Amino acid sequence: MKDPQSPNESFDIIVIGGGHAGCEAAITTAKLGFSTALFTINLDRIAWQPCNPAVGGPAKSQLVHEVDALGGIIGQLADETAIQKRILNASRGPAVWALRAQTDKREYSRRMIEILQNTDNLSLKEAMITELVIKEVETFTNNSKNTTKQIKGVKTFFGTYYSAKSIIITAGTFLEGRIWIGNKSMSAGRSGEQAAQGLTQSLHNLGIKTERLKTGTPARVDKKSIFFDELDIQPSTAADKYFSFDPKIKNNMPQVSCHITRTTLKTHELIRNNLHLTPIYGGFIDSKGPRYCPSIEDKIVKFADKNSHQIFLEPEGINTPEIYVQGFSTGLPENIQLELLRTLPGLNKCKMLRPAYAVEYEYIPATQLKSSLETIEIGNLFSAGQINGTTGYEEAAAQGLVAGINATRKLSMKDPIIFSRESSYIGTMINDLITRDLKEPYRVLTSRSEYRLTLRGDNADRRLTPLGFEIGLIDERRWLAHKKKMKSLKEENSRLENTRLKCTDEIAKKIELDSGSKIKGSTTLKELLKRPNLHYSDFIKYDLVDKTLPVAVIEGVEIDIKYEGYLKRQKNNIDQINRQSLKSLPTEINYDQIDTLSLEARENLNKIKPTNFGDASKIPGVSKADLTALLVWLKIKELKKEKTNSFVEKKLSS
């Protein structure tokens, strides 16, 4: 490939794509002092929410908390633009509690654009990137010469060349994107916006393969045409809860209610009669869609025994009439969509503002990436977000942050920050992406984490804010606020551990009477709080706690105490895994001989020859099951060796 002679402009880092991944990546690299350019096809649609303008939910809220704890943006913006907030899974344990916010779509985008425009070291540019420019670099390892590909810059559709030391691709659904309504389709990244052309072929030319996935979005209806009085109401119940740990973040948006309707037998009949007209069931496309956000057609087909499915009507903002019909994604023709919507209670006279559509697009299977999100094939080329096979704003934002951090560290000649499964949901997600050959859009779930009790949303700052400060994304003000919170947690834990109640105390008698829980002799407040029928709210009632303590401190202390035993066991498990990571691996191992390993693991382990389990765990295609199998194989081998040595010694002694 012939390099352009002179760049139009030069940057340290170029980010391709202005979605949630691209925004986090660009803000991160710029904040860390690197000259950054964010390229997007449409500057007016930055950080757009093309599907439901909602942030959080099960496992997704944990991701948002983690991004915020590290110094990212998504949590702050979700808090500031939320028009409804709810706690999901509140009746279950803290490991699965989840904050969900319905945001004002246009306000969210407006505020993100404002942040980007006012971030030092960051330039915004509207252009379609069609080509990656590389250079070949010679390196010497063990007296042998190797030639590697290194990123050099990008070219736009109109041929303008921009040089960069590092590139982060965050193209979302735009690579060769095509939207479908029935059997009709058009080239588009999403409705109303052109697809990204040319970049896919450039990736192929450089040895990076892409595959195709599908997602979709439901229709929007005019709220003035809905009979809300016929529907169940779902009010905002958690306006005082926040994703961000920054105490200065506030929400001044008016709070609104969502509503619930249901599909009917008529809905199901209409869908079954017209399945052949959808892109998937009609055979027009065969791309895999998200399992955990299925189309209404998929629900009717796969859950044929159900007579009704819950549908949520969620506003897209304060100053827009658009209502998002959550759970009603479809690829049916537009005329049938309207007929279908009118089978739902409360929507029998609704007006459809925007039709639902399916979108298929190219993505980069993440097995071609390192744990840092750098591509294996091309040095200093990173990718993040939906282009890596994920679905969701939260997954995208987390990847954008990681890619941004590691792009700067690579240029600074520092080791990458690798997030482990034991440390974060971010680590769980990235490990899943790079080790599994996914054939459908990936969504983070609490069930995907083996350590979900430890990796809660409420303690994300305890786990990750010190790292964010060390990296340089958490400023001094946030750091001082964090240290103050840590001090309060420690002091309150100590107070509960050292404050005793005697059974003869008046308060003790009240507690016994109200809770039916006997106090024998004396007990500490900590031991009392461990009891399942007593909570911090009771301590407040009995005046046993400082009422000025922040809610976050109270909640953190209560969870730590009530789940102390479980948390200790999980910590021991994590410590054991960390110790195993230091276990050495002989370089002479022939992994082809270990038939308990997956074929991909054998191939990649033989290629890289890691020196310890920690390095092996970071290799794409090497799963946790592979590591366990390898550990067992080594143990058996050690036992055989010991047995042989013992036999030889006995022979010699005799």
Side-chain angles (χ1 to χ4, degrees), residues 370-469:
K370 303 174 184 176
S371 298
S372 62
L373 297 184
E374 183 184 19
T375 62
I376 296 169
E377 191 70 26
I378 312 292
N380 285 14
L381 176 63
F382 295 77
S383 71
Q386 204 155 354
I387 193 174
N388 287 344
T390 60
T391 179
Y393 314 132
E394 304 86 354
E395 289 88 341
Q399 291 174 70
L401 180 77
V402 173
I405 290 170
N406 285 325
T408 65
R409 293 184 72 83
K410 184 80 182 285
L411 296 184
S412 303
M413 309 282 285
K414 296 178 180 176
D415 290 335
I417 301 293
I418 304 301
F419 293 88
S420 67
R421 300 185 71 90
E422 301 82 37
S423 70
S424 60
Y425 270 88
I426 295 174
T428 302
M429 173 182 64
I430 292 175
N431 183 256
D432 283 347
L433 289 174
I434 68 170
T435 60
R436 299 181 184 181
D437 189 15
L438 302 168
K439 298 301 182 186
E440 62 185 44
Y442 176 94
R443 175 178 178 171
V444 70
L445 302 166
T446 50
S447 60
R448 296 191 192 276
S449 174
E450 307 92 321
Y451 312 106
R452 50 189 173 271
L453 185 56
T454 301
L455 309 181
R456 306 185 311 276
D458 70 275
N459 70 0
D461 58 336
R462 288 191 259 174
R463 292 185 280 117
L464 297 172
T465 292
L467 176 60
F469 181 67

Side-chain angles (χ1 to χ4, degrees), residues 116-189:
L116 292 166
Q117 290 172 337
N118 290 283
T119 297
D120 293 337
N121 305 313
L122 180 56
S123 301
L124 300 179
K125 296 188 177 293
E126 186 172 283
M128 183 189 295
I129 303 299
T130 56
E131 186 179 342
L132 300 174
V133 181
I134 66 155
K135 59 184 177 182
E136 292 189 343
V137 179
E138 289 185 350
T139 58
F140 293 88
T141 309
N142 297 328
N143 295 323
S144 65
K145 186 172 75 173
N146 300 301
T147 302
T148 59
K149 298 172 188 173
Q150 195 86 21
I151 205 71
K152 189 175 180 181
V154 298
K155 288 178 75 174
T156 71
F157 179 86
F158 294 105
T160 308
Y161 170 52
Y162 295 88
S163 69
K165 300 171 185 174
S166 188
I167 306 289
I168 305 172
I169 304 177
T170 66
T173 62
F174 279 73
L175 284 191
E176 309 297 331
R178 179 164 288 275
I179 64 172
W180 288 83
I181 299 178
N183 64 353
K184 302 290 186 182
S185 72
M186 64 184 296
S187 175

Side-chain angles (χ1 to χ4, degrees), residues 240-450:
D240 59 338
K241 301 294 184 182
Y242 288 86
F243 291 109
S244 180
F245 297 99
D246 187 343
K248 80 169 187 178
I249 299 300
K250 300 295 179 217
N251 180 316
N252 297 313
M253 300 290 288
Q255 297 297 290
V256 302
S257 294
C258 297
H259 291 79
I260 303 171
T261 185
R262 302 193 71 88
T263 60
T264 62
L265 292 175
K266 191 174 179 182
T267 312
H268 295 209
E269 183 184 8
L270 189 58
I271 290 171
R272 282 193 289 266
N273 291 342
N274 291 281
L275 274 175
H276 61 287
L277 299 177
T278 65
I280 292 291
Y281 291 97
F284 313 127
I285 60 176
D286 61 1
S287 309
K288 292 289 185 184
R291 180 183 304 187
Y292 301 100
C293 189
S295 67
I296 190 64
E297 301 93 76
D298 277 344
K299 290 179 185 177
I300 302 309
V301 171
K302 293 176 180 178
F303 304 98
D305 57 320
K306 289 196 72 172
N307 294 323
S308 183
H309 295 273
Q310 215 171 36
I311 305 296
F312 298 89
L313 303 178
E314 300 174 329
E316 295 215 326
I318 297 299
N319 298 310
T320 176
E322 293 183 62
I323 297 292
Y324 182 94
V325 189
Q326 168 79 302
F328 215 68
S329 177
T330 181
L332 282 163
E334 191 169 345
N335 62 322
I336 297 174
Q337 287 188 34
L338 181 58
E339 188 180 352
L340 198 62
L341 285 166
R342 289 180 173 178
T343 66
L344 305 177
L347 277 74
N348 58 302
K349 292 185 179 180
C350 74
K351 295 178 181 178
M352 187 168 67
L353 298 173
R354 303 176 195 260
Y357 62 87
V359 56
E360 58 171 349
Y361 55 95
E362 296 290 313
Y363 79 104
I364 298 172
T367 50
Q368 301 170 97
L369 307 178
K370 303 174 184 176
S371 298
S372 62
L373 297 184
E374 183 184 19
T375 62
I376 296 169
E377 191 70 26
I378 312 292
N380 285 14
L381 176 63
F382 295 77
S383 71
Q386 204 155 354
I387 193 174
N388 287 344
T390 60
T391 179
Y393 314 132
E394 304 86 354
E395 289 88 341
Q399 291 174 70
L401 180 77
V402 173
I405 290 170
N406 285 325
T408 65
R409 293 184 72 83
K410 184 80 182 285
L411 296 184
S412 303
M413 309 282 285
K414 296 178 180 176
D415 290 335
I417 301 293
I418 304 301
F419 293 88
S420 67
R421 300 185 71 90
E422 301 82 37
S423 70
S424 60
Y425 270 88
I426 295 174
T428 302
M429 173 182 64
I430 292 175
N431 183 256
D432 283 347
L433 289 174
I434 68 170
T435 60
R436 299 181 184 181
D437 189 15
L438 302 168
K439 298 301 182 186
E440 62 185 44
Y442 176 94
R443 175 178 178 171
V444 70
L445 302 166
T446 50
S447 60
R448 296 191 192 276
S449 174
E450 307 92 321

Side-chain angles (χ1 to χ4, degrees), residues 512-572:
E512 285 187 346
L513 187 65
D514 293 346
S515 68
S517 188
K518 197 75 174 168
I519 298 174
K520 296 178 181 178
S522 70
T523 185
T524 66
L525 294 185
K526 179 178 178 178
E527 288 300 319
L528 269 182
L529 195 55
K530 282 185 177 182
R531 298 182 180 186
N533 58 341
L534 283 170
H535 300 275
Y536 232 104
S537 55
D538 299 306
F539 282 10
I540 294 171
K541 182 173 68 177
Y542 299 125
D543 204 25
L544 291 170
V545 64
D546 181 0
K547 294 176 183 176
T548 64
L549 274 178
V551 173
V553 172
I554 289 172
E555 288 179 349
V557 169
E558 180 162 0
I559 293 169
D560 285 349
I561 289 174
K562 282 195 175 297
Y563 294 89
E564 186 178 44
Y566 298 103
L567 290 166
K568 280 182 178 177
R569 282 198 291 274
Q570 197 152 97
K571 184 180 183 302
N572 289 336

Side-chain angles (χ1 to χ4, degrees), residues 43-44 46 109-117 124:
L43 280 171
D44 297 325
I46 280 177
S109 175
R110 187 193 69 76
R111 294 197 189 197
M112 181 67 88
I113 292 171
E114 189 177 345
I115 291 171
L116 292 166
Q117 290 172 337
L124 300 179

